[in-house]
Amino acid sequence: MNFRYTIFILFLLSTQVLRAQTWNSVRAEKLYQQAVVEIKSAQQQKALKSLEEAIKLNPVHIDAQVQLARIYMAQKHYDQSIRTAQLVLRASPEYEDVYYYIIGSYLSKNRPAEALRYVEMGLARFAANKDFGIKKLNILDMLKRYQDGDSWAQVLIRRFPTDGSVRLAMAGHYEAKADWYKGNKMDNLANSYYEKALELAPKNTDLIEKMNNLVSQGGDYDARIAKANALLNSDSKSYNALFQKLSLLQESHRYAEALEVLRVILRYYPKDKKALDLNNSLRKEAAGYYQNTDTYALYQSILDQNPGDREALEKVVGIAASRGETTQALYWVDRALQRNTADRVLLRRKMDFEFQLRRYQTAADIAVKLYGSNGDKAFRSEALQMINACGNYYLQQQQADSAIVYYDRTLHLDRSNMPALQGRISALVLQNNLSSALRELDQAISYYPNDIDLQLKKAGFLAQSGKIQQAVALSEKLYASYPGNPKLKSLYLEQKLAAANACILVEEYGEAETHLRQLLLEDNDNKEALHYLSNILDLRRRYPEALLVVQQALQSYPGDREFLQKKAAILHNSAQYMAAAQVATMLRTEYPYNQKYRTMVQDAWMSAGLAFQKKGLADSAIFCFDRVLEGNRTDSLAYSNKINLLMAKGDFVYALQSVDTALQHFEYAEPFLLKKVIVLDSLGRFVEAAQYADTLSKRFDLRKHREYAALLRSKTMQHAFGLSLLNSSFSGVDDNPAPPAYRIATLYYTRRLSPKISYGAQLLFTGRQSGTGIMGEGDLTYTANKLLYWNASIGISNNVLLPKYRLAYSLYRQLGKGFEGEIGARFLEVVAIKAVSLVVGASKSFDPFLLNARIFAIKEEKDFYFAFQAGAKYELTEADLLQANFGLGTSPDDRSRLILLPELGGVMSRSVGAGYRRTINYRTSLGLNGTYTSQKIGTATFRNQYDLLLALQVKF
């Protein structure tokens, strides 16, 4: 009879609960409809109360929560609006309007980073929402992420190419970026972005005004306050400046700063009537301003006037707690407890707040105090948790003695409390009191003899204590005794795993591997064992075995992301980067928003590229770096490596494209700007290279950049003008006087018409008592291709001293490995003698040296003889050049002796010389050469010649 009566009562109670739930839902819906009417009639406060009541009755009423979030935002209760909107998004993320409310609230709280996160969430679900796209652009500008804003603006204009609001938003973005450049005194860039903005919004008068006057004239509060501060810096007691700053702070509602300025005024001018009046009125104004804008302050003011007002106390405590200001909430509870020290409700609130503030000891003491006088089982359980939490805290701080005190308090109240028993065991372990810990564990097992977890804990404790064999023996014994018991089998398997884990912790990887393989014999698809075993094999660099284990795991768990991730990691560690990239790419494709997988793909391709680069496989390395850039367009290392490889290959056109792409993401970055200069230089585009080099040297004022810019400017100069003066003097022979000295002055001009053609002209002057010689020469150089070029020249004189005619032609061929060959011919007519020569030459360059040699076969009337010339050049620096020369015989190119050619023809002579040339700023060259020649003019007769050449050349 009693049993039937109990069933009947339970049935009635359940029916009442269902009816109450149904009735609450109906009432909540009525309140919601009432709130909708109140919203339409602009009765926001009434609607707020109706909606709050509706949600209390039915917490899952989504529409009511949406309207509540909107009203909270309208009334500037942004924290409440955010919390309410987050609840809606968790339950119904497709509710589009809620994104507006949470984004607007975060922006109103000046937290644009959080607002951007929800804009991204909104765009992920509503990609076609133009307003979200514009908000994202605006927020990126607020965060000063202008480069990201540029990229996103391009995405927006592609999606909405004709939309006016999108174009206005882009104009605003460019204006914001221009303002930033202007603020950082980069006026040229600011002007360019103002122009971009004006193209999108041509009627915007503000933009026109900004472009006309980049320097801001001030006028806002901050600027005016800054001016007042500037006056105070020169005179800190300035009466007018102090009151001016006070007025500006008051107008901008910066009352705390205004009161500080007023305090300074009263210190300097303690009897000033105006300041004394403000001392009262300003404080009232500040108090009214803050009180009228903060509900918390209103209730606090009520509580200050009436400390016993329980409702105000609950509101103040509740608001402080909801804001996360737990310390403030505890302050008000402590104030109330001073009036009523035995108030159990307040004590319980204090216990909760102390616990939240991690003051576990105070919370535990209150819990002990309340435990005995409260029969509520739920509260008693909570109180025991508080006491145990204190013990756990001390345990974490490794204060085992204090932890045991609080665990003992719990056990005094409840001898079989499992958390306290386990905590006490852990504390004993911390004290290294192993025997007592085992006794405590056995005591716990006596309370819970059928608790498999305790059995497992004992075995695990033995393993953690280093008694792995005993732990495994215990688990094996239990499993052997009850082979059909699934719990004991689980205990055995878990103990094996624990033993393996314990071995891993002490780096006993071999023994751990043994335990894991035995475990897998019983349970071949044990996920954790497969994880551990693959990790061990990977750690020990047994990569083929590790891959076999992972492959076995993937057969049991096909598509498991963790094992796929592990496979990619093992492949990467074993230098199989391409395979690792393929596995990581598969993971990234399936989980496109997982940053870890995106990073794995990037790392794998990057490592593959670096490996190919190290092996000299440029094309494969470039392919890998391109894959890196597909995943991350702002990877500077990938750009740098790719560009270096392309430059090394000589593919400067593609290298230039890559540099330009990199500079779009890293505007004016020094490394990429320098690479662009080098690539343009290599392509022969010297004008552009010089312009970029000039920008580089101005932005990064380094000597190497300035010199490179000067070098490139010199390459853009097509003209050169020069002047040289050759002085030759002679020694006498026996008693005969020395021949008269002579000087040859040469003016010359050269011009490069194109990369293939250049020409020049020379005018030579020389004189003696026999007359003045004048000779004009012209030469032409033509480059047929990278390997072949030729030079031809013709000279005509007045046949006084200098050759009447001089013709020369040489063909040059690059032979590879720094070698160059020459073959040519010469023709001279001096007085009445004609000489025809053939020349063969070769040169070899190996930085910083250049060696060359020429042999001339000369036919002069009936005579036939040879001449030989050799030279060497050594570049000390890019501006300093040393050179030396040696010769046998008189060659047709030796101008210092052409005047004496008829006399010297066929005469054996030896010459040696040296010179130095200095180039200033890659434009002006000064050279000085000296040559000594010993001429054999008889059987045993020699004459010496001394040449000194001074040369100047200027490029323009």
Side-chain angles (χ1 to χ4, degrees):
M1 190 67 181
N2 291 336
F3 177 77
R4 292 180 179 178
Y5 179 77
T6 302
I7 295 297
F8 177 72
I9 293 300
L10 290 174
F11 174 77
L12 287 178
L13 289 173
S14 62
T15 303
Q16 292 298 323
V17 170
L18 290 173
R19 286 178 179 174
Q21 291 176 346
T22 305
W23 176 243
N24 286 345
S25 300
V26 172
R27 288 184 61 198
E29 181 61 27
K30 287 183 177 180
L31 286 167
Y32 168 72
Q33 296 299 334
Q34 177 184 333
V36 171
V37 174
E38 291 167 344
I39 291 170
K40 291 180 180 179
S41 59
Q43 300 180 41
Q44 300 289 330
Q45 197 60 35
K46 290 184 178 180
L48 179 62
K49 292 182 180 179
S50 299
L51 291 169
E52 288 178 341
E53 187 63 24
I55 290 176
K56 286 182 182 178
L57 294 171
N58 184 10
V60 295
H61 198 303
I62 299 298
D63 291 334
Q65 290 177 330
V66 172
Q67 293 297 331
L68 192 59
R70 184 178 68 82
I71 293 177
Y72 279 146
M73 187 185 73
Q75 295 188 351
K76 299 182 180 180
H77 298 162
Y78 301 121
D79 289 333
Q80 292 167 287
S81 177
I82 290 169
R83 285 195 294 271
T84 306
Q86 286 173 339
L87 291 174
V88 175
L89 290 178
R90 291 193 193 103
S92 181
E94 298 295 335
Y95 226 118
E96 191 171 4
D97 289 347
V98 178
Y99 290 92
Y100 289 100
Y101 306 149
I102 196 167
I103 293 165
S105 297
Y106 272 122
L107 290 177
S108 298
K109 287 172 64 65
N110 195 26
R111 292 165 64 182
E114 288 86 349
L116 180 61
R117 183 162 62 90
Y118 283 94
V119 169
E120 298 282 13
M121 290 172 60
L123 285 170
R125 291 188 175 274
F126 311 102
N129 189 306
K130 177 183 65 181
D131 293 334
F132 285 160
I134 292 174
K135 280 186 180 293
K136 178 177 178 179
L137 184 59
N138 294 336
I139 294 171
L140 288 172
D141 288 342
M142 294 171 65
L143 294 169
K144 293 183 174 55
R145 291 168 54 182
Y146 297 118
Q147 295 297 330
D148 294 339
D150 287 345
S151 301
W152 181 244
Q154 296 305 316
V155 173
L156 275 181
I157 201 66
R158 285 197 298 270
R159 291 183 181 175
F160 311 99
T162 61
D163 190 276
S165 58
V166 170
R167 294 176 70 84
L168 286 176
M170 287 183 65
H173 162 68
Y174 289 134
E175 184 178 2
K177 189 172 183 180
D179 289 340
W180 186 86
Y181 279 128
K182 182 179 71 175
N184 286 273
K185 299 181 180 180
M186 291 184 273
D187 293 344
N188 291 336
L189 289 172
N191 190 63
S192 65
Y193 280 100
Y194 281 136
E195 289 176 351
K196 286 186 178 182
L198 201 58
E199 289 176 2
L200 297 167
K203 296 182 180 181
N204 190 316
T205 56
D206 290 338
L207 285 172
I208 296 172
E209 183 179 354
K210 286 181 178 180
M211 288 184 65
N212 292 334
N213 185 11
L214 284 177
V215 180
S216 174
Q217 298 301 316
D220 59 356
Y221 283 116
D222 289 337
R224 290 156 67 189
I225 290 170
K227 291 178 181 177
N229 285 332
L231 291 174
L232 289 171
N233 286 337
S234 60
D235 183 5
S236 62
K237 296 182 180 181
S238 172
Y239 183 85
N240 291 332
L242 286 168
F243 269 103
Q244 181 185 2
K245 182 176 180 181
L246 174 62
S247 176
L248 291 170
L249 292 170
Q250 184 179 6
E251 289 174 15
S252 57
H253 302 297
R254 292 161 62 174
Y255 293 109
E257 297 172 70
L259 288 169
E260 178 61 23
V261 174
L262 180 59
R263 186 185 64 78
V264 174
I265 292 173
L266 287 172
R267 188 177 68 193
Y268 291 147
Y269 309 100
K271 296 182 180 181
D272 186 83
K273 187 176 184 302
K274 182 179 177 181
L276 291 171
D277 292 339
L278 276 173
N279 192 34
N280 186 36
S281 62
L282 184 61
R283 293 180 187 277
K284 287 182 178 180
E285 184 180 337
Y289 175 80
Y290 290 122
Q291 190 171 16
N292 291 331
T293 56
D294 190 357
T295 305
Y296 179 73
L298 290 172
Y299 281 113
Q300 183 178 338
S301 63
I302 295 171
L303 199 59
D304 286 335
Q305 296 174 5
N306 185 9
D309 191 312
R310 192 63 176 234
E311 182 182 356
L313 175 65
E314 292 296 330
K315 289 289 186 181
V316 168
V317 173
I319 292 173
S322 67
R323 291 180 176 178
E325 298 174 359
T326 308
T327 303
Q328 191 66 18
L330 180 60
Y331 164 76
W332 290 108
V333 171
D334 285 338
R335 269 189 52 169
L337 281 172
Q338 290 176 1
R339 299 172 57 85
N340 187 0
T341 57
D343 190 309
R344 299 182 57 79
V345 174
L346 291 174
L347 284 171
R348 186 163 180 178
R349 295 292 294 274
K350 178 177 174 62
M351 179 183 73
D352 291 337
F353 290 142
E354 296 284 5
F355 181 77
Q356 292 176 33
L357 293 170
R358 299 180 182 274
R359 300 172 184 172
Y360 300 116
Q361 182 177 355
T362 306
D365 292 341
I366 297 172
V368 172
K369 180 178 179 181
L370 294 175
Y371 183 89
S373 58
N374 195 318
D376 184 1
K377 291 184 178 180
F379 172 75
R380 285 194 164 196
S381 176
E382 181 182 351
L384 293 176
Q385 290 177 14
M386 292 287 180
I387 303 170
N388 284 333
C390 185
N392 293 339
Y393 169 76
Y394 283 122
L395 193 61
Q396 291 173 0
Q397 300 299 315
Q398 296 190 349
Q399 299 180 28
D401 294 339
S402 300
I404 289 173
V405 169
Y406 281 91
Y407 290 135
D408 285 344
R409 287 190 180 184
T410 302
L411 293 172
H412 177 72
L413 299 173
D414 180 8
R415 282 300 304 168
S416 61
N417 185 273
M418 178 65 80
L421 289 169
Q422 291 178 333
R424 201 172 192 283
I425 292 168
S426 299
L428 290 169
V429 172
L430 184 62
Q431 292 179 329
N432 202 25
N433 192 348
L434 304 181
S435 58
S436 298
L438 279 170
R439 284 197 299 271
E440 289 290 334
L441 185 57
D442 289 336
Q443 183 68 24
I445 293 172
S446 69
Y447 288 126
Y448 305 97
N450 298 321
D451 192 312
I452 296 177
D453 291 334
L454 287 176
Q455 298 285 351
L456 176 62
K457 188 175 183 67
K458 181 176 181 179
F461 169 72
L462 289 170
Q464 292 171 8
S465 303
K467 303 176 181 178
I468 298 176
Q469 297 302 327
Q470 295 181 32
V472 174
L474 175 59
S475 60
E476 287 178 347
K477 179 180 178 181
L478 290 170
Y479 182 45
S481 301
Y482 306 96
N485 189 319
K487 289 186 178 182
L488 291 177
K489 180 180 180 180
S490 177
L491 170 65
Y492 168 72
L493 296 176
E494 290 181 12
Q495 185 53 56
K496 276 287 186 183
L497 192 64
N501 187 43
C503 293
I504 292 172
L505 291 175
V506 296
E507 300 183 3
E508 293 288 344
Y509 300 119
E511 192 169 350
E513 182 182 348
T514 301
H515 285 300
L516 291 169
R517 293 195 181 278
Q518 289 176 355
L519 188 156
L520 290 171
L521 290 175
E522 296 291 333
D523 185 7
N524 59 6
D525 59 353
N526 187 289
K527 198 170 188 178
E528 291 186 51
L530 291 168
H531 270 302
Y532 284 155
L533 184 56
S534 60
N535 286 340
I536 289 172
L537 295 172
D538 183 20
L539 183 65
R540 303 180 78 180
R541 301 184 180 181
R542 292 159 58 184
Y543 301 121
E545 296 177 64
L547 286 172
L548 287 175
V549 172
V550 172
Q551 208 59 42
Q552 175 188 343
L554 287 171
Q555 291 177 1
S556 302
Y557 305 96
D560 184 271
R561 58 194 294 186
E562 293 183 2
F563 284 116
L564 285 172
Q565 177 183 329
K566 194 176 295 294
K567 181 178 180 180
I570 294 171
L571 288 168
H572 190 282
N573 293 340
S574 60
Q576 301 180 55
Y577 303 119
M578 299 288 283
Q582 292 173 359
V583 177
T585 302
M586 182 171 61
L587 280 169
R588 185 189 62 183
T589 303
E590 189 172 354
Y591 306 97
Y593 300 108
N594 188 304
Q595 185 60 40
K596 185 175 184 179
Y597 298 151
R598 295 165 68 88
T599 303
M600 286 177 62
V601 174
Q602 299 296 104
D603 291 345
W605 283 119
M606 179 63 76
S607 298
L610 293 173
F612 284 129
Q613 185 177 11
K614 188 175 181 180
K615 294 176 182 178
L617 302 174
D619 291 336
S620 298
I622 291 171
F623 172 81
C624 295
F625 293 137
D626 282 338
R627 303 291 77 74
V628 175
L629 293 172
E630 284 180 2
N632 181 9
R633 291 293 178 185
T634 59
D635 193 307
S636 59
L637 180 60
Y639 278 119
S640 182
N641 289 335
K642 178 182 175 181
I643 294 165
N644 289 340
L645 287 168
L646 291 170
M647 291 169 63
K649 285 179 61 180
D651 193 348
F652 296 107
V653 175
Y654 190 17
L656 181 60
Q657 295 175 3
S658 300
V659 171
D660 287 337
T661 304
L663 284 172
Q664 291 176 5
H665 300 286
F666 306 98
E667 191 174 16
Y668 297 115
E670 181 185 9
F672 294 117
L673 198 55
L674 177 59
K675 289 183 190 299
K676 181 160 187 175
V677 175
I678 295 171
V679 172
L680 288 170
D681 183 13
S682 301
L683 289 169
R685 294 162 61 176
F686 303 122
V687 174
E688 297 174 70
Q691 292 172 349
Y692 279 100
D694 185 61
T695 300
L696 178 67
S697 65
K698 289 178 179 177
R699 285 188 169 273
F700 307 98
D701 189 17
L702 299 176
R703 180 179 178 182
K704 61 179 182 179
H705 296 330
R706 294 194 299 271
E707 290 185 353
Y708 197 11
L711 172 63
L712 290 170
R713 280 194 296 272
S714 72
K715 290 184 179 181
T716 65
M717 298 172 183
Q718 307 297 325
H719 308 267
F721 175 78
L723 170 65
S724 66
L725 182 62
L726 173 65
N727 181 79
S728 295
S729 58
F730 305 89
S731 63
V733 179
D734 297 331
D735 296 331
N736 297 322
Y742 65 87
R743 297 172 182 82
I744 299 177
T746 306
L747 294 173
Y748 60 89
Y749 167 81
T750 62
R751 169 74 185 274
R752 185 174 64 182
L753 290 176
S754 70
K756 288 190 174 184
I757 302 174
S758 62
Y759 69 87
Q762 299 183 35
L763 189 61
L764 286 78
F765 295 88
T766 186
R768 283 184 178 178
Q769 294 177 356
S770 57
T772 300
I774 301 175
M775 182 177 188
E777 280 190 312
D779 68 84
L780 177 68
T781 301
Y782 178 76
T783 302
N785 50 52
K786 292 182 178 180
L787 300 178
L788 196 67
Y789 70 97
W790 55 262
N791 175 265
S793 65
I794 181 170
I796 303 175
S797 78
N798 58 357
N799 204 21
V800 176
L801 297 175
L802 294 169
K804 182 177 182 181
Y805 299 109
R806 182 178 182 277
L807 302 176
Y809 177 84
S810 286
L811 178 66
Y812 300 90
R813 176 73 158 77
Q814 299 293 332
L815 303 176
K817 295 184 179 181
F819 284 96
E820 182 180 81
E822 176 191 3
I823 184 170
R826 307 285 189 269
F827 172 76
L828 287 173
E829 182 176 341
V830 179
V831 187
I833 298 175
K834 298 178 181 179
V836 179
S837 309
L838 293 178
V839 59
V840 176
S843 66
K844 164 66 176 175
S845 64
F846 43 96
D847 290 337
F849 291 97
L850 174 67
L851 303 179
N852 61 76
R854 282 176 174 170
I855 297 177
F856 298 88
I858 305 168
K859 178 69 171 64
E860 182 182 313
E861 299 296 336
K862 297 180 181 180
D863 296 329
F864 182 79
Y865 58 93
F866 292 91
F868 173 76
Q869 283 186 339
K873 295 181 180 180
Y874 173 57
E875 290 189 4
L876 289 170
T877 66
E878 292 182 347
D880 298 288
L881 177 70
L882 290 178
Q883 53 190 11
N885 57 277
F886 170 76
L888 294 174
T890 302
S891 75
D893 290 344
D894 190 349
R895 298 196 177 192
S896 69
R897 282 171 283 162
L898 289 180
I899 293 175
L900 306 177
L901 184 61
E903 183 181 343
L904 295 177
V907 175
M908 176 61 70
S909 64
R910 297 177 180 85
S911 63
V912 63
Y916 170 74
R917 186 184 72 192
R918 173 71 175 179
T919 302
I920 302 171
N921 207 22
Y922 299 98
R923 184 176 181 184
T924 304
S925 298
L926 292 172
L928 181 65
N929 289 74
T931 304
Y932 166 75
T933 305
S934 175
Q935 302 166 355
K936 186 176 182 180
I937 59 176
T939 305
T941 305
F942 293 86
R943 181 172 63 197
N944 299 326
Q945 178 177 343
Y946 309 96
D947 294 335
L948 185 65
L949 176 67
L950 180 64
L952 169 68
Q953 177 181 290
V954 179
K955 297 177 70 175
F956 60 99

